[in-house]
Amino acid sequence: MKAGNTTKGGTSWAAWIACAFVLLTVGYPLAVLAVQAVFPEALAGSLAEAGRGFVELVRTPGLGEMLGNSLRWGAATTLGAWLLGAPAGWALARFEFPGKRLARLSLLAPVMLPPFLLALAYILLLQPGGLWEQAIGVVPAWLQKSFFGFWGVTGAMVLASYGAVALAVEAGWRGLPARAAEAAESLGARHWQVWAHILLPLMLPALVNSGLLVFVDAMSNFGVPAALGPRANLPLLPAEIHALVTSWPVNLPLATALSLLLCVMAAALFQLGRVVLRKHGGGRTRGSGPALRKLGAGGVAAVWCGFGALFTVGGGVPIGVVVIASLVERWNGGSPVWTAAHYQAVFAAGGEGRAALATSAWLATGAATICVLAGAGAAYATARNPGWVARLADQLSVLPRVVPSIAVAVALILAWNAPWVALPIYNTVWILLLAYLALYQGDAARLADTGMRTVGVNLEQAAEVLGASRGRVWREIVLPLLRPALLAGWALTFVACLRDLVASVMLLPPGTQTVGSYIFTQFEQGDLARAMAMAVCAVGLGAATLLCLPRR
Amino acid sequence: MSGAWPTRRRALGLLAGGALTTVAGGCGRRESEQLVVYSAGPRPLAEKMCTGYAAATGRNVELFVATTGQIMAKLEAERFNARADVVILASRVAAEALKVPGRLRATGLATGLERPDWHDAEGFYVAIGAATIGVALHADAPAGPGEGWDWEDFLGGAFPGRVVLPSPVRSGATSDFLMAYLQARGDERVWATLKAARRAGLDIASANAQAMSSLLTGGCAAVVGAVDYVALREVEKGEPVRMIYPASGGVVTTRPAAVMATTRREEEATKFIQYMLGDEAQREAAKLHFEPVLADVKWSAAKQAAWSASNGLILPLDARAAVQTQGAALRKFQYEVERAVDSNA
């Protein structure tokens, strides 16, 4: 199998660049973090207190429980995201129906809000005396109870992540060979047999890759549990790491050691995913894609109901709450006074709000573009020249996702503010770009990897035999075939950068604001409405940008 | 491959656009040789201090605003190549945590200042103002509270309506309150009170701002451990909220300002702190409902009104003792109070 999928002529330059990119943006800061975990004084040129973090790690009370909770929570979230996301992605890939672009966009609506704002919106809605009670009446007790518990936290995370699964599944479906299924059917295979033996194995890369990302995200997220929080009664490792980094006296050695533990767990998970895929997944095919089926009136109604329900719960309701909250001048104890002044404040000429939107827009554009290109290169390298460099780069690219972002921010500061760094990147806006690249390249890399798994090598070989150059093969064969996956990756990365919060706040250079830091600042100083107004603007900007993306 | 050309053009366009915006956006932002100040919120106060200083001296200041926790994390991560010259924190315990391992430089600025108990006797940090932690109530809450009610009354379940405490694990101000409360009442009594309160339905919010928004939207009736300047700002806006200080006293949480030991601009850093202690800056702090260091600067009307309604007592906070015990106390709070209620129960 290896020989058949490998092209001649060694690793291409694009692959090398992609690997170097991953090693620089992710490998370097994580390596510094690892060194810091083992030798807390290493950056000062001393090996004192070696291993202190790990000694304390072993002594951390409740470590096993926290790990268990994180795994349980990750598994529940992944399952939920699969259940919601896979059918949605399948519907997008298989059927032609009016308003498909909107349906696709609706998947990303929950992702556009920072998770803690999403959680806060639900709190404002469901808490005793909240908007629900004021508008509709009593919130059912079971809903309130289960919401402010394990299931509420899981549900909020599922809603924030099923869109990514759906996009990956859609991209995966489009690369499926219609012919294999058709051939099986004409040979008398039953419907379930086609699903079990052909479609599911071929879809496995998309499911596993996107599921892993959801798992890792849930494992490292603590914004949602912190907000819905203490009520959910879940001791989680990321919350512990956050507390160690931000409560005084700061304990970096232990925090970095715990972060490494999360990294090791994630790496193990990805290795597991790789094994599963090698055993059961894939089968490389020419990505012809199954033909789109036109839906009848009933089908259209069903699809619309499904997407409508998902959008309402995941995006419509919380965004609606955010919009309401952004228009309030005074809450007045339940009979609000309305105003549009907060939007005027956000858009005031020469004001911080406008600048923040502009900064976030170009940072997100740049980061998404670079991530997609690097992801394509890395995926290509992994698929065609599965050497250890490519494998390392592939695994590294998602590790920042599993470390709580406050620890990633610390790693980036340690790495780019180190005494030996000659480039004056730290404290300029470029450090934000680097941070976004480090944090969010996982999506693009996973999606590109999924895409590559369905791109057969034979087209490339044919082109090479006919004398096409490496660059031409890339431009005219690989990139076009990867296009759906790359566009999905671009959209996800763009939205993720736009809503980034922690890295933006921690690494903010002087005189700059991003959407995230602006929201955070307003929220911190109690200006909830203005924070919400900015969140609405960011959602609008994200939606408008995604609508302008080229059609697939 | 008939569609390859437009595809390629579009991809190239996207790429060029991305590269262009990236380069254009990053231009013209360079590091400067200005005084670098890291300050806890509220941002308007920090900004006023910096613009006021710039206007008075003609020297610009580079400002970074975040929570005290984020500033502490950033200082720790930058330890090997320090950037900050001046720090302004929202908790005296945090300032002690920096002072103990020698991260601050003694300036002697505290000598001769009013409110000597607010500043570090050894001259490592001075307070530029203070807020007081008490209880924020809905204006139409029953008349009982405010007249002689104490912390235990609000926590004990006697108060009608939902009571929220911002988590001290995530809010620096509430952690100051917890430490002062522990020091005043003794461990045993405080933990018993808090655990009983949690069982009786005390809710824990993840941040001060979240608790306050819950109060404004009618989600709860009282926020215990609320910082007064946040609540008083809402009072000033006309929201139906009032701030009270319980009978045995509110907890004063000072805003310590200090010069970092690694500074290369000690003279200017000292001047900056001196400016913040001056009349003009103090009046700005008072306007935002902080208690000024200078006795002749007038308090804001809202703060004055809230304070006159109380009996004027204060629960003292020994920051030096607190820095030793805070970690264990927060952990205990997290495990034995926050998570004491089974979600399935």
PDB file of all heavy atoms in Angstrom, chain A residues 226 233 240 246 248 330-332 373 417 426 430 506 510 525, chain B residues 15 22 69 74 78 81 83 206 233 239 326 331 339 341:
ATOM      1  N   ALA A 226     -16.368  26.695  33.273  1.00  0.00           N
ATOM      2  CA  ALA A 226     -16.148  27.731  34.284  1.00  0.00           C
ATOM      3  C   ALA A 226     -17.375  28.620  34.395  1.00  0.00           C
ATOM      4  O   ALA A 226     -17.730  29.060  35.483  1.00  0.00           O
ATOM      5  CB  ALA A 226     -14.916  28.556  33.943  1.00  0.00           C
ATOM      6  N   ASN A 233     -20.068  21.012  38.865  1.00  0.00           N
ATOM      7  CA  ASN A 233     -19.430  20.120  39.811  1.00  0.00           C
ATOM      8  C   ASN A 233     -18.412  19.190  39.159  1.00  0.00           C
ATOM      9  O   ASN A 233     -18.359  18.017  39.458  1.00  0.00           O
ATOM     10  CB  ASN A 233     -20.522  19.286  40.490  1.00  0.00           C
ATOM     11  CG  ASN A 233     -20.002  18.616  41.737  1.00  0.00           C
ATOM     12  OD1 ASN A 233     -18.953  19.001  42.242  1.00  0.00           O
ATOM     13  ND2 ASN A 233     -20.716  17.635  42.223  1.00  0.00           N
ATOM     14  N   GLU A 240      -7.713  23.434  36.465  1.00  0.00           N
ATOM     15  CA  GLU A 240      -6.619  23.377  37.440  1.00  0.00           C
ATOM     16  C   GLU A 240      -5.393  24.115  36.881  1.00  0.00           C
ATOM     17  O   GLU A 240      -4.763  24.908  37.571  1.00  0.00           O
ATOM     18  CB  GLU A 240      -6.287  21.902  37.711  1.00  0.00           C
ATOM     19  CG  GLU A 240      -5.170  21.667  38.684  1.00  0.00           C
ATOM     20  CD  GLU A 240      -5.602  21.860  40.114  1.00  0.00           C
ATOM     21  OE1 GLU A 240      -6.831  21.917  40.349  1.00  0.00           O
ATOM     22  OE2 GLU A 240      -4.727  21.980  40.987  1.00  0.00           O
ATOM     23  N   THR A 246      -2.817  31.551  36.855  1.00  0.00           N
ATOM     24  CA  THR A 246      -3.331  32.900  37.091  1.00  0.00           C
ATOM     25  C   THR A 246      -3.595  33.223  38.554  1.00  0.00           C
ATOM     26  O   THR A 246      -4.065  34.314  38.848  1.00  0.00           O
ATOM     27  CB  THR A 246      -4.642  33.137  36.322  1.00  0.00           C
ATOM     28  OG1 THR A 246      -5.580  32.147  36.731  1.00  0.00           O
ATOM     29  CG2 THR A 246      -4.432  33.085  34.831  1.00  0.00           C
ATOM     30  N   TRP A 248      -2.034  33.751  42.416  1.00  0.00           N
ATOM     31  CA  TRP A 248      -0.731  34.017  42.974  1.00  0.00           C
ATOM     32  C   TRP A 248      -0.537  33.268  44.253  1.00  0.00           C
ATOM     33  O   TRP A 248      -1.497  33.093  44.981  1.00  0.00           O
ATOM     34  CB  TRP A 248      -0.556  35.534  43.155  1.00  0.00           C
ATOM     35  CG  TRP A 248      -1.776  36.194  43.692  1.00  0.00           C
ATOM     36  CD1 TRP A 248      -2.063  36.481  44.987  1.00  0.00           C
ATOM     37  CD2 TRP A 248      -2.890  36.658  42.915  1.00  0.00           C
ATOM     38  NE1 TRP A 248      -3.290  37.082  45.079  1.00  0.00           N
ATOM     39  CE2 TRP A 248      -3.809  37.205  43.839  1.00  0.00           C
ATOM     40  CE3 TRP A 248      -3.198  36.654  41.545  1.00  0.00           C
ATOM     41  CZ2 TRP A 248      -5.037  37.752  43.427  1.00  0.00           C
ATOM     42  CZ3 TRP A 248      -4.420  37.195  41.162  1.00  0.00           C
ATOM     43  CH2 TRP A 248      -5.314  37.734  42.095  1.00  0.00           C
ATOM     44  N   ARG A 330     -30.481  50.054  30.198  1.00  0.00           N
ATOM     45  CA  ARG A 330     -30.558  49.667  31.602  1.00  0.00           C
ATOM     46  C   ARG A 330     -31.497  48.475  31.698  1.00  0.00           C
ATOM     47  O   ARG A 330     -32.515  48.433  31.029  1.00  0.00           O
ATOM     48  CB  ARG A 330     -31.115  50.813  32.451  1.00  0.00           C
ATOM     49  CG  ARG A 330     -30.102  51.890  32.721  1.00  0.00           C
ATOM     50  CD  ARG A 330     -30.634  52.897  33.719  1.00  0.00           C
ATOM     51  NE  ARG A 330     -31.728  53.688  33.192  1.00  0.00           N
ATOM     52  CZ  ARG A 330     -32.932  53.752  33.739  1.00  0.00           C
ATOM     53  NH1 ARG A 330     -33.213  53.046  34.813  1.00  0.00           N
ATOM     54  NH2 ARG A 330     -33.879  54.491  33.213  1.00  0.00           N
ATOM     55  N   TRP A 331     -31.157  47.502  32.546  1.00  0.00           N
ATOM     56  CA  TRP A 331     -32.026  46.327  32.678  1.00  0.00           C
ATOM     57  C   TRP A 331     -33.263  46.674  33.491  1.00  0.00           C
ATOM     58  O   TRP A 331     -34.303  46.076  33.334  1.00  0.00           O
ATOM     59  CB  TRP A 331     -31.266  45.173  33.314  1.00  0.00           C
ATOM     60  CG  TRP A 331     -30.327  44.542  32.360  1.00  0.00           C
ATOM     61  CD1 TRP A 331     -29.009  44.847  32.209  1.00  0.00           C
ATOM     62  CD2 TRP A 331     -30.617  43.530  31.403  1.00  0.00           C
ATOM     63  NE1 TRP A 331     -28.463  44.066  31.220  1.00  0.00           N
ATOM     64  CE2 TRP A 331     -29.425  43.245  30.709  1.00  0.00           C
ATOM     65  CE3 TRP A 331     -31.770  42.820  31.061  1.00  0.00           C
ATOM     66  CZ2 TRP A 331     -29.349  42.302  29.696  1.00  0.00           C
ATOM     67  CZ3 TRP A 331     -31.693  41.866  30.063  1.00  0.00           C
ATOM     68  CH2 TRP A 331     -30.496  41.619  29.385  1.00  0.00           C
ATOM     69  N   ASN A 332     -33.078  47.637  34.419  1.00  0.00           N
ATOM     70  CA  ASN A 332     -34.230  48.157  35.140  1.00  0.00           C
ATOM     71  C   ASN A 332     -35.005  47.048  35.851  1.00  0.00           C
ATOM     72  O   ASN A 332     -36.220  47.115  35.974  1.00  0.00           O
ATOM     73  CB  ASN A 332     -35.148  48.876  34.131  1.00  0.00           C
ATOM     74  CG  ASN A 332     -35.757  50.106  34.751  1.00  0.00           C
ATOM     75  OD1 ASN A 332     -35.430  50.442  35.883  1.00  0.00           O
ATOM     76  ND2 ASN A 332     -36.647  50.761  34.025  1.00  0.00           N
ATOM     77  N   LEU A 373      -2.586  26.765   3.632  1.00  0.00           N
ATOM     78  CA  LEU A 373      -1.475  26.383   2.758  1.00  0.00           C
ATOM     79  C   LEU A 373      -0.554  25.391   3.455  1.00  0.00           C
ATOM     80  O   LEU A 373      -0.168  24.369   2.890  1.00  0.00           O
ATOM     81  CB  LEU A 373      -0.697  27.631   2.343  1.00  0.00           C
ATOM     82  CG  LEU A 373      -1.462  28.541   1.387  1.00  0.00           C
ATOM     83  CD1 LEU A 373      -0.690  29.815   1.147  1.00  0.00           C
ATOM     84  CD2 LEU A 373      -1.703  27.800   0.068  1.00  0.00           C
ATOM     85  N   ASN A 417       9.903  35.577  23.737  1.00  0.00           N
ATOM     86  CA  ASN A 417      10.505  36.639  24.525  1.00  0.00           C
ATOM     87  C   ASN A 417      11.810  36.141  25.143  1.00  0.00           C
ATOM     88  O   ASN A 417      12.386  36.773  26.006  1.00  0.00           O
ATOM     89  CB  ASN A 417       9.516  37.083  25.623  1.00  0.00           C
ATOM     90  CG  ASN A 417      10.008  38.297  26.384  1.00  0.00           C
ATOM     91  OD1 ASN A 417      10.554  39.227  25.804  1.00  0.00           O
ATOM     92  ND2 ASN A 417       9.832  38.290  27.693  1.00  0.00           N
ATOM     93  N   TYR A 426       7.916  39.668  19.603  1.00  0.00           N
ATOM     94  CA  TYR A 426       7.120  39.788  20.806  1.00  0.00           C
ATOM     95  C   TYR A 426       6.781  41.254  21.062  1.00  0.00           C
ATOM     96  O   TYR A 426       7.594  42.140  20.838  1.00  0.00           O
ATOM     97  CB  TYR A 426       7.893  39.210  21.994  1.00  0.00           C
ATOM     98  CG  TYR A 426       7.082  39.191  23.260  1.00  0.00           C
ATOM     99  CD1 TYR A 426       5.925  38.435  23.338  1.00  0.00           C
ATOM    100  CD2 TYR A 426       7.464  39.925  24.360  1.00  0.00           C
ATOM    101  CE1 TYR A 426       5.162  38.418  24.482  1.00  0.00           C
ATOM    102  CE2 TYR A 426       6.710  39.912  25.513  1.00  0.00           C
ATOM    103  CZ  TYR A 426       5.557  39.159  25.567  1.00  0.00           C
ATOM    104  OH  TYR A 426       4.801  39.152  26.707  1.00  0.00           O
ATOM    105  N   TRP A 430       2.620  40.953  15.341  1.00  0.00           N
ATOM    106  CA  TRP A 430       2.974  39.672  14.715  1.00  0.00           C
ATOM    107  C   TRP A 430       2.886  38.516  15.690  1.00  0.00           C
ATOM    108  O   TRP A 430       2.674  37.372  15.296  1.00  0.00           O
ATOM    109  CB  TRP A 430       4.374  39.747  14.105  1.00  0.00           C
ATOM    110  CG  TRP A 430       4.458  40.786  13.045  1.00  0.00           C
ATOM    111  CD1 TRP A 430       5.132  41.967  13.106  1.00  0.00           C
ATOM    112  CD2 TRP A 430       3.801  40.773  11.768  1.00  0.00           C
ATOM    113  NE1 TRP A 430       4.945  42.680  11.960  1.00  0.00           N
ATOM    114  CE2 TRP A 430       4.142  41.976  11.119  1.00  0.00           C
ATOM    115  CE3 TRP A 430       2.981  39.860  11.135  1.00  0.00           C
ATOM    116  CZ2 TRP A 430       3.664  42.285   9.857  1.00  0.00           C
ATOM    117  CZ3 TRP A 430       2.504  40.161   9.879  1.00  0.00           C
ATOM    118  CH2 TRP A 430       2.847  41.357   9.248  1.00  0.00           C
ATOM    119  N   MET A 506      -3.681  37.942  26.474  1.00  0.00           N
ATOM    120  CA  MET A 506      -2.362  37.754  27.095  1.00  0.00           C
ATOM    121  C   MET A 506      -1.233  38.312  26.238  1.00  0.00           C
ATOM    122  O   MET A 506      -0.204  38.730  26.758  1.00  0.00           O
ATOM    123  CB  MET A 506      -2.109  36.257  27.318  1.00  0.00           C
ATOM    124  CG  MET A 506      -2.853  35.672  28.485  1.00  0.00           C
ATOM    125  SD  MET A 506      -2.243  36.268  30.062  1.00  0.00           S
ATOM    126  CE  MET A 506      -0.620  35.491  30.099  1.00  0.00           C
ATOM    127  N   PRO A 510       1.031  46.695  22.813  1.00  0.00           N
ATOM    128  CA  PRO A 510       0.494  47.989  23.233  1.00  0.00           C
ATOM    129  C   PRO A 510      -0.194  48.715  22.082  1.00  0.00           C
ATOM    130  O   PRO A 510       0.214  48.604  20.929  1.00  0.00           O
ATOM    131  CB  PRO A 510       1.734  48.760  23.704  1.00  0.00           C
ATOM    132  CG  PRO A 510       2.895  48.006  23.191  1.00  0.00           C
ATOM    133  CD  PRO A 510       2.472  46.599  23.026  1.00  0.00           C
ATOM    134  N   GLN A 525     -15.006  45.307  32.751  1.00  0.00           N
ATOM    135  CA  GLN A 525     -15.362  46.530  33.447  1.00  0.00           C
ATOM    136  C   GLN A 525     -16.876  46.675  33.563  1.00  0.00           C
ATOM    137  O   GLN A 525     -17.378  47.741  33.846  1.00  0.00           O
ATOM    138  CB  GLN A 525     -14.708  47.744  32.796  1.00  0.00           C
ATOM    139  CG  GLN A 525     -15.119  47.987  31.375  1.00  0.00           C
ATOM    140  CD  GLN A 525     -14.151  48.921  30.693  1.00  0.00           C
ATOM    141  OE1 GLN A 525     -12.946  48.777  30.826  1.00  0.00           O
ATOM    142  NE2 GLN A 525     -14.655  49.889  29.961  1.00  0.00           N
TER     143      GLN A 525
ATOM    144  N   LEU B  15      -4.879  34.014  -1.871  1.00  0.00           N
ATOM    145  CA  LEU B  15      -3.538  33.976  -1.300  1.00  0.00           C
ATOM    146  C   LEU B  15      -2.926  35.372  -1.276  1.00  0.00           C
ATOM    147  O   LEU B  15      -2.421  35.839  -0.252  1.00  0.00           O
ATOM    148  CB  LEU B  15      -2.692  33.032  -2.149  1.00  0.00           C
ATOM    149  CG  LEU B  15      -1.252  32.854  -1.723  1.00  0.00           C
ATOM    150  CD1 LEU B  15      -1.223  32.248  -0.345  1.00  0.00           C
ATOM    151  CD2 LEU B  15      -0.547  31.945  -2.708  1.00  0.00           C
ATOM    152  N   THR B  22      -1.973  40.842   5.480  1.00  0.00           N
ATOM    153  CA  THR B  22      -1.064  40.514   6.563  1.00  0.00           C
ATOM    154  C   THR B  22       0.054  41.544   6.657  1.00  0.00           C
ATOM    155  O   THR B  22       0.351  42.077   7.716  1.00  0.00           O
ATOM    156  CB  THR B  22      -0.464  39.121   6.345  1.00  0.00           C
ATOM    157  OG1 THR B  22      -1.527  38.225   6.131  1.00  0.00           O
ATOM    158  CG2 THR B  22       0.322  38.674   7.541  1.00  0.00           C
ATOM    159  N   GLY B  69      -4.745  38.251  37.645  1.00  0.00           N
ATOM    160  CA  GLY B  69      -4.246  36.897  37.384  1.00  0.00           C
ATOM    161  C   GLY B  69      -3.465  36.816  36.088  1.00  0.00           C
ATOM    162  O   GLY B  69      -2.398  36.226  36.031  1.00  0.00           O
ATOM    163  N   LYS B  74       1.667  36.747  33.064  1.00  0.00           N
ATOM    164  CA  LYS B  74       2.529  37.367  32.059  1.00  0.00           C
ATOM    165  C   LYS B  74       3.877  37.738  32.669  1.00  0.00           C
ATOM    166  O   LYS B  74       4.923  37.507  32.062  1.00  0.00           O
ATOM    167  CB  LYS B  74       1.830  38.602  31.490  1.00  0.00           C
ATOM    168  CG  LYS B  74       2.442  39.116  30.199  1.00  0.00           C
ATOM    169  CD  LYS B  74       1.483  40.050  29.484  1.00  0.00           C
ATOM    170  CE  LYS B  74       2.206  40.957  28.529  1.00  0.00           C
ATOM    171  NZ  LYS B  74       1.823  40.750  27.124  1.00  0.00           N
ATOM    172  N   GLU B  78       7.452  36.253  31.527  1.00  0.00           N
ATOM    173  CA  GLU B  78       8.462  37.195  31.007  1.00  0.00           C
ATOM    174  C   GLU B  78       9.661  37.327  31.940  1.00  0.00           C
ATOM    175  O   GLU B  78      10.507  38.192  31.747  1.00  0.00           O
ATOM    176  CB  GLU B  78       7.832  38.587  30.816  1.00  0.00           C
ATOM    177  CG  GLU B  78       6.861  38.664  29.655  1.00  0.00           C
ATOM    178  CD  GLU B  78       6.210  40.026  29.545  1.00  0.00           C
ATOM    179  OE1 GLU B  78       6.385  40.851  30.464  1.00  0.00           O
ATOM    180  OE2 GLU B  78       5.520  40.261  28.550  1.00  0.00           O
ATOM    181  N   ASN B  81      13.137  37.799  30.599  1.00  0.00           N
ATOM    182  CA  ASN B  81      13.423  38.944  29.740  1.00  0.00           C
ATOM    183  C   ASN B  81      12.314  39.958  30.009  1.00  0.00           C
ATOM    184  O   ASN B  81      11.407  40.133  29.217  1.00  0.00           O
ATOM    185  CB  ASN B  81      13.441  38.500  28.274  1.00  0.00           C
ATOM    186  CG  ASN B  81      13.892  39.595  27.343  1.00  0.00           C
ATOM    187  OD1 ASN B  81      14.384  40.634  27.802  1.00  0.00           O
ATOM    188  ND2 ASN B  81      13.715  39.394  26.059  1.00  0.00           N
ATOM    189  N   ARG B  83       9.717  42.923  30.808  1.00  0.00           N
ATOM    190  CA  ARG B  83       9.271  44.063  30.014  1.00  0.00           C
ATOM    191  C   ARG B  83       8.694  45.171  30.871  1.00  0.00           C
ATOM    192  O   ARG B  83       8.849  46.338  30.571  1.00  0.00           O
ATOM    193  CB  ARG B  83       8.181  43.617  29.045  1.00  0.00           C
ATOM    194  CG  ARG B  83       8.590  42.527  28.102  1.00  0.00           C
ATOM    195  CD  ARG B  83       9.176  43.113  26.862  1.00  0.00           C
ATOM    196  NE  ARG B  83       9.714  42.078  25.996  1.00  0.00           N
ATOM    197  CZ  ARG B  83      10.169  42.333  24.784  1.00  0.00           C
ATOM    198  NH1 ARG B  83      10.135  43.548  24.301  1.00  0.00           N
ATOM    199  NH2 ARG B  83      10.674  41.372  24.062  1.00  0.00           N
ATOM    200  N   SER B 206     -18.866  32.789  38.032  1.00  0.00           N
ATOM    201  CA  SER B 206     -17.468  32.604  37.672  1.00  0.00           C
ATOM    202  C   SER B 206     -16.696  33.917  37.657  1.00  0.00           C
ATOM    203  O   SER B 206     -15.488  33.909  37.632  1.00  0.00           O
ATOM    204  CB  SER B 206     -17.360  31.912  36.318  1.00  0.00           C
ATOM    205  OG  SER B 206     -17.637  32.813  35.304  1.00  0.00           O
ATOM    206  N   ARG B 233     -21.108  52.059  39.948  1.00  0.00           N
ATOM    207  CA  ARG B 233     -21.219  52.529  38.570  1.00  0.00           C
ATOM    208  C   ARG B 233     -22.627  52.275  38.041  1.00  0.00           C
ATOM    209  O   ARG B 233     -23.202  53.096  37.337  1.00  0.00           O
ATOM    210  CB  ARG B 233     -20.183  51.789  37.722  1.00  0.00           C
ATOM    211  CG  ARG B 233     -20.022  52.323  36.328  1.00  0.00           C
ATOM    212  CD  ARG B 233     -18.839  51.675  35.666  1.00  0.00           C
ATOM    213  NE  ARG B 233     -18.869  50.230  35.837  1.00  0.00           N
ATOM    214  CZ  ARG B 233     -17.786  49.461  35.872  1.00  0.00           C
ATOM    215  NH1 ARG B 233     -16.600  50.004  35.760  1.00  0.00           N
ATOM    216  NH2 ARG B 233     -17.886  48.159  36.029  1.00  0.00           N
ATOM    217  N   GLU B 239     -29.494  52.106  37.525  1.00  0.00           N
ATOM    218  CA  GLU B 239     -30.018  50.757  37.718  1.00  0.00           C
ATOM    219  C   GLU B 239     -30.519  50.612  39.156  1.00  0.00           C
ATOM    220  O   GLU B 239     -29.951  51.200  40.073  1.00  0.00           O
ATOM    221  CB  GLU B 239     -28.913  49.713  37.451  1.00  0.00           C
ATOM    222  CG  GLU B 239     -28.474  49.616  36.005  1.00  0.00           C
ATOM    223  CD  GLU B 239     -29.382  48.723  35.177  1.00  0.00           C
ATOM    224  OE1 GLU B 239     -30.462  48.362  35.683  1.00  0.00           O
ATOM    225  OE2 GLU B 239     -29.012  48.405  34.028  1.00  0.00           O
ATOM    226  N   GLN B 326      -3.179  31.523  51.082  1.00  0.00           N
ATOM    227  CA  GLN B 326      -4.218  31.690  50.076  1.00  0.00           C
ATOM    228  C   GLN B 326      -4.396  30.468  49.168  1.00  0.00           C
ATOM    229  O   GLN B 326      -5.534  30.054  48.907  1.00  0.00           O
ATOM    230  CB  GLN B 326      -3.912  32.918  49.217  1.00  0.00           C
ATOM    231  CG  GLN B 326      -4.914  33.099  48.101  1.00  0.00           C
ATOM    232  CD  GLN B 326      -4.858  34.476  47.505  1.00  0.00           C
ATOM    233  OE1 GLN B 326      -5.504  35.378  47.978  1.00  0.00           O
ATOM    234  NE2 GLN B 326      -4.065  34.621  46.472  1.00  0.00           N
ATOM    235  N   ARG B 331      -8.022  26.320  47.208  1.00  0.00           N
ATOM    236  CA  ARG B 331      -8.238  24.919  46.848  1.00  0.00           C
ATOM    237  C   ARG B 331      -9.371  24.328  47.690  1.00  0.00           C
ATOM    238  O   ARG B 331     -10.250  23.642  47.186  1.00  0.00           O
ATOM    239  CB  ARG B 331      -6.940  24.142  47.071  1.00  0.00           C
ATOM    240  CG  ARG B 331      -7.058  22.668  46.803  1.00  0.00           C
ATOM    241  CD  ARG B 331      -5.683  22.041  46.770  1.00  0.00           C
ATOM    242  NE  ARG B 331      -4.978  22.369  45.542  1.00  0.00           N
ATOM    243  CZ  ARG B 331      -5.153  21.723  44.396  1.00  0.00           C
ATOM    244  NH1 ARG B 331      -6.029  20.743  44.339  1.00  0.00           N
ATOM    245  NH2 ARG B 331      -4.483  22.044  43.330  1.00  0.00           N
ATOM    246  N   ARG B 339     -17.812  22.742  44.879  1.00  0.00           N
ATOM    247  CA  ARG B 339     -18.242  21.446  44.340  1.00  0.00           C
ATOM    248  C   ARG B 339     -18.950  20.609  45.373  1.00  0.00           C
ATOM    249  O   ARG B 339     -19.102  19.407  45.201  1.00  0.00           O
ATOM    250  CB  ARG B 339     -17.025  20.699  43.809  1.00  0.00           C
ATOM    251  CG  ARG B 339     -16.481  21.376  42.596  1.00  0.00           C
ATOM    252  CD  ARG B 339     -15.115  20.878  42.241  1.00  0.00           C
ATOM    253  NE  ARG B 339     -14.616  21.668  41.124  1.00  0.00           N
ATOM    254  CZ  ARG B 339     -13.353  21.769  40.807  1.00  0.00           C
ATOM    255  NH1 ARG B 339     -12.461  21.155  41.530  1.00  0.00           N
ATOM    256  NH2 ARG B 339     -12.978  22.502  39.785  1.00  0.00           N
ATOM    257  N   VAL B 341     -21.979  20.577  46.127  1.00  0.00           N
ATOM    258  CA  VAL B 341     -23.330  20.149  45.766  1.00  0.00           C
ATOM    259  C   VAL B 341     -23.256  19.173  44.608  1.00  0.00           C
ATOM    260  O   VAL B 341     -22.714  19.487  43.558  1.00  0.00           O
ATOM    261  CB  VAL B 341     -24.177  21.371  45.356  1.00  0.00           C
ATOM    262  CG1 VAL B 341     -25.606  20.942  45.134  1.00  0.00           C
ATOM    263  CG2 VAL B 341     -24.104  22.434  46.433  1.00  0.00           C
TER     264      VAL B 341
END
